[in-house]
Amino acid sequence: MTKSIILHQINTENKGTLFIRFFDGHGNKKLISLKFKMFKKDFEKSYNKEFLLFSRNQNFNHTEINNKIKEYENYNPFLQTYTGTNLSLTDYFSKEINNTTKQSTKTTNKYVLNSLKEFRKVVYFEDLNLDFMSAYKNFLTHKRTSKPLKNSTIKKYITVIKTICNNAKRQGYKINESTFDFKIGKDERINNKVLTKEDIEIVNNISKDQKYFVEKNLFLFSLYGQGLRISDSLFIKAENFKNSHIEIGMTKTKNNIHIQYSDKIMDVLMDVLDAPNPIKKFKLQNAKIYLIQQTEETLTERYSGDTKKKKQVQKEILNNLLKNKYEEFNVKENILKTIRDNYKPNDFIFKGLLNEYYCKNSNKVEIDYDAWKSSQNAIKGFNQRLKVMAKLYKLSVGDNISSHSARYTFVNLLLEKNTNIYLISKALGHSSLGITERYIKRNFGAERLNITQTLSNIFD
């Protein structure tokens, strides 16, 4: 048997968790967390592969880490097998949760364990079989009558239990092979969380003196920022704004995406930063007058009986007129200057929506539970206020709106323009086209996917 120390689960800030990795010489490996986090550069600088120890480093307590490593000096995880019948799955599950370092995973697993205990107070490994899991699935299906769990949620619960069982199996616990040999049906649903163009127009017009102005800005930033997830847009910092683009390391996938300073994004940022908006001023003072003078006669002749088409053409002409003004007025440069003058690199742009405790403690290598929980409460609070906002401004999406509606709406707008699926995948930051295909099928139906597939394959 051989072992090594690795830095695992590295995030976008190049921080990771230390694990000790064991190999049995037959292709099997096991990872055990040492429950320490550090930066990648510190790991590479201080770790001695030959002695499996760390040298002195002012950024972490090397003595404490080395002592932890020595505890596993004579440890062989491949000899740790389960021989008794008294340790329950529920107890093992609870221990696994306590050993989990990622707060989001820990919280999800707690929900699953609680539901399992609700179904049966104590579950033993020998209880597991196809009938047991089918009964548990049936319990989840009928658990809530007012708002039943979706099949996708039930599938997630089952997957969590399967993962826990696979971990136990690697440690020698016996699991019935047929336990998870069943399928969960797909949700038959239409995505009703998408905003219409009229909805977007209403949201765009919420002014500073109206309710939910800050929430409106975050939502639009997510929408125009290539459908950013709330976990990325809400926690964006001043350091993410580069001269040529906005650079974001996505929390979910760890992939980096670059977002260009589009006119729409710059409009939102001027509102967020409370910076002077020369475009708005120009539009009020000159653009509409110019538009009427230059186009009214022509449009009246061409679209005398079609008021809607006339307004659409006027809007296109106005947008083209304003397009060069962003560059002429140095809007991007003024936005970047405002950020540099008023924010430190680690300051959150939407800090008004975040808990003060989280803002102070979020830059630690390993944030505590209270800080993590406050970040989740910020997301929850934002979603609740979105629903009130939708009701107040009479959006057609109604109570179905959520922070993810920005992402759904962005994708829907691309699909309406028959955008190539490769470009959609790139914009969303997906790691493969397969993920994008499943995303579109699940949320918009296979027929929407077929359009993009046809277009992307038309010259094959």
Side-chain angles (χ1 to χ4, degrees):
M1 185 187 72
T2 59
K3 56 189 174 183
S4 61
I5 309 298
I6 63 168
L7 192 65
H8 194 43
Q9 297 171 341
I10 298 174
N11 62 23
T12 54
E13 295 178 329
N14 277 325
K15 300 171 187 174
T17 303
L18 287 177
F19 280 77
I20 184 165
R21 180 168 58 186
F22 296 87
F23 291 95
D24 68 352
H26 302 288
N28 298 313
K29 67 177 181 180
K30 287 188 179 180
L31 293 177
I32 294 178
S33 174
L34 294 172
K35 298 183 180 178
F36 286 99
K37 288 198 173 185
M38 68 172 60
F39 289 101
K40 185 179 179 181
K41 61 181 180 181
D42 290 330
F43 177 81
E44 292 172 346
K45 182 179 179 181
S46 303
Y47 175 54
N48 187 312
K49 292 182 181 180
E50 185 179 353
F51 296 103
L52 272 68
L53 295 173
F54 286 86
S55 59
R56 186 185 298 276
N57 190 310
Q58 62 180 2
N59 293 328
F60 59 83
N61 189 331
H62 74 290
T63 303
E64 193 177 350
I65 295 175
N66 289 338
N67 287 338
K68 187 70 176 176
I69 293 171
K70 286 179 181 178
E71 290 179 16
Y72 292 94
E73 193 169 359
N74 299 312
Y75 179 75
N76 187 342
F78 301 102
L79 297 179
Q80 309 300 311
T81 57
Y82 170 64
T83 56
T85 57
N86 294 323
L87 186 62
S88 66
L89 164 63
T90 38
D91 285 339
Y92 178 85
F93 201 156
S94 184
K95 286 175 68 176
E96 285 286 290
I97 290 172
N98 290 334
N99 291 330
T100 302
T101 56
K102 192 175 181 181
Q103 290 290 355
S104 57
T105 304
K106 182 175 284 193
T107 302
T108 300
N109 288 1
K110 279 182 180 178
Y111 279 122
V112 177
L113 177 58
N114 288 339
S115 76
L116 193 59
K117 285 182 175 180
E118 193 179 340
F119 173 63
R120 187 179 295 182
K121 193 170 183 180
V122 180
V123 181
Y124 293 94
F125 282 102
E126 52 263 37
D127 294 335
L128 296 180
N129 54 41
L130 185 58
D131 290 338
F132 177 90
M133 292 309 298
S134 298
Y136 173 66
K137 172 185 169 291
N138 192 50
F139 162 76
L140 292 176
T141 304
H142 300 95
K143 183 179 176 183
R144 295 192 315 212
T145 52
S146 58
K147 192 177 180 182
L149 291 176
K150 294 176 181 176
N151 284 338
S152 57
T153 304
I154 294 173
K155 186 175 181 179
K156 186 174 184 178
Y157 276 43
I158 301 293
T159 301
V160 168
I161 295 174
K162 187 175 181 180
T163 301
I164 296 295
C165 287
N166 285 338
N167 292 344
K169 189 176 180 181
R170 284 193 288 270
Q171 294 180 29
Y173 292 84
K174 293 182 180 178
I175 311 294
N176 190 312
E177 293 295 332
S178 64
T179 299
F180 301 99
D181 286 349
F182 64 94
K183 290 185 177 180
I184 300 171
K186 294 181 179 179
D187 291 315
E188 303 226 343
R189 56 176 177 164
I190 299 171
N191 193 325
N192 53 2
K193 293 185 177 183
V194 173
L195 274 68
T196 64
K197 290 180 180 177
E198 289 75 19
D199 288 335
I200 297 171
E201 191 71 27
I202 292 170
V203 174
N204 262 311
N205 289 329
I206 297 175
S207 60
K208 188 179 178 181
D209 58 343
Q210 291 179 295
K211 287 185 176 180
Y212 304 108
F213 177 71
V214 178
E215 287 78 8
K216 156 246 184 177
N217 285 331
L218 176 56
F219 185 86
L220 291 178
F221 183 78
S222 297
L223 171 62
Y224 298 137
Q226 299 176 193
L228 283 172
R229 298 180 185 89
I230 186 66
S231 56
D232 298 321
S233 56
L234 177 57
F235 305 105
I236 193 167
K237 297 180 179 180
E239 64 186 5
N240 294 111
F241 292 85
K242 313 298 181 184
N243 288 335
S244 60
H245 62 274
I246 305 168
E247 187 171 320
I248 296 177
M250 294 187 292
T251 305
K252 184 175 181 179
T253 64
K254 311 302 180 191
N255 295 334
N256 280 353
I257 59 169
H258 291 181
I259 296 169
Q260 302 305 313
Y261 290 101
S262 67
D263 298 349
K264 296 289 189 183
I265 280 280
M266 288 191 283
D267 282 338
V268 174
L269 286 174
M270 282 185 280
D271 277 346
V272 172
L273 301 170
D274 198 22
N277 190 332
I279 300 297
K280 192 178 288 185
K281 186 177 180 181
F282 174 81
K283 190 174 177 180
L284 288 170
Q285 291 180 347
N286 306 297
K288 285 190 175 179
I289 298 171
Y290 173 87
L291 180 66
I292 293 169
Q293 289 175 342
Q294 299 298 316
T295 64
E296 188 64 33
E297 188 176 335
T298 308
L299 290 176
T300 302
E301 291 174 0
R302 193 177 300 171
Y303 303 110
S304 55
D306 193 343
T307 307
K308 187 176 179 181
K309 184 65 179 176
K310 179 180 172 181
K311 286 182 177 179
Q312 183 183 335
V313 174
Q314 281 184 325
K315 189 175 179 181
E316 287 175 6
I317 295 171
L318 180 60
N319 287 337
N320 289 331
L321 177 66
L322 294 174
K323 214 162 191 62
N324 295 328
K325 294 298 176 184
Y326 286 86
E327 191 172 342
E328 184 181 321
F329 294 144
N330 297 317
V331 173
K332 183 182 74 173
E333 289 74 13
N334 290 334
I335 286 171
L336 292 172
K337 185 179 185 303
T338 302
I339 292 174
R340 284 193 296 267
D341 291 347
N342 297 283
Y343 293 81
K344 295 176 183 176
N346 276 322
D347 283 350
F348 294 100
I349 296 298
F350 292 99
K351 57 186 175 184
L353 295 172
L354 294 170
N355 180 285
E356 187 178 343
Y357 182 81
Y358 175 78
C359 292
K360 285 182 178 178
N361 292 275
S362 62
N363 290 319
K364 294 179 180 178
V365 174
E366 185 173 1
I367 65 170
D368 58 35
Y369 175 78
D370 290 336
W372 175 82
K373 188 65 178 175
S374 69
S375 71
Q376 301 308 298
N377 287 338
I379 293 173
K380 186 178 179 181
F382 175 68
N383 276 303
Q384 290 171 342
R385 290 192 296 277
L386 275 184
K387 293 183 185 300
V388 182
M389 183 187 82
K391 185 177 181 181
L392 177 65
Y393 293 104
K394 297 184 171 72
L395 304 183
S396 65
V397 72
D399 277 350
N400 293 314
I401 194 172
S402 72
S403 57
H404 215 67
S405 292
R407 193 166 177 84
Y408 290 141
T409 304
F410 172 71
V411 174
N412 189 59
L413 291 172
L414 293 181
L415 290 172
E416 285 183 351
K417 290 183 178 294
N418 293 335
T419 306
N420 183 295
I421 191 172
Y422 173 78
L423 296 178
I424 296 176
S425 185
K426 194 86 171 169
L428 293 176
H430 286 164
S431 56
S432 70
L433 287 178
I435 293 173
T436 310
E437 287 176 359
R438 290 194 296 273
Y439 188 89
I440 294 173
K441 276 183 182 178
R442 185 172 68 247
N443 295 297
F444 300 95
E447 69 280 0
R448 300 295 295 275
L449 179 64
N450 289 338
I451 296 172
T452 55
Q453 281 181 325
T454 302
L455 288 168
S456 62
N457 297 328
I458 196 168
F459 295 114
D460 286 354

